[in-house]
Amino acid sequence: MDETVIFERKYGVNMNDFSTTEEVDKIIEEKIGRKLQIIKLEDHGIVHSRGGIFKLRKYDIDRRFDETIKI
């Protein structure tokens, strides 16, 4: 809810007036004076849509388990 209020204040609009994301995009594009750009999220320090803020590591869980129990 807070994000919507911030958006409404920043762009001087009421979110109830929109029914599609394209309408919202158009308002933003008019305000910034250019088309919105799609960027690659990796390596930009932005949280991915998956919600993780840390880079994921691949582990060989079987090897780590064996090392832990000293097989």
Side-chain angles (χ1 to χ4, degrees):
M1 181 67 178
D2 293 338
E3 294 84 5
T4 303
V5 172
I6 293 169
F7 178 83
E8 289 175 341
R9 287 183 186 160
K10 182 174 182 174
Y11 294 103
V13 296
N14 183 340
M15 285 304 294
N16 294 328
D17 296 339
F18 302 105
S19 59
T20 66
T21 55
E22 288 81 9
E23 292 173 345
V24 174
D25 291 349
K26 184 177 177 183
I27 292 294
I28 295 170
E29 289 171 349
E30 289 173 1
K31 184 76 169 185
I32 64 174
R34 64 175 170 78
K35 294 290 266 180
L36 290 174
Q37 299 172 337
I38 297 175
I39 61 169
K40 183 178 177 183
L41 291 179
E42 296 171 358
D43 301 328
H44 288 283
I46 298 173
V47 176
H48 293 273
S49 61
R50 295 184 300 268
I53 59 172
F54 302 106
K55 290 187 176 187
L56 299 177
R57 292 187 179 177
K58 293 182 179 180
Y59 294 103
D60 180 352
I61 191 68
D62 293 323
R63 182 186 56 80
R64 293 190 76 173
F65 179 75
D66 292 344
E67 288 175 354
T68 301
I69 62 170
K70 306 285 184 202
I71 288 185

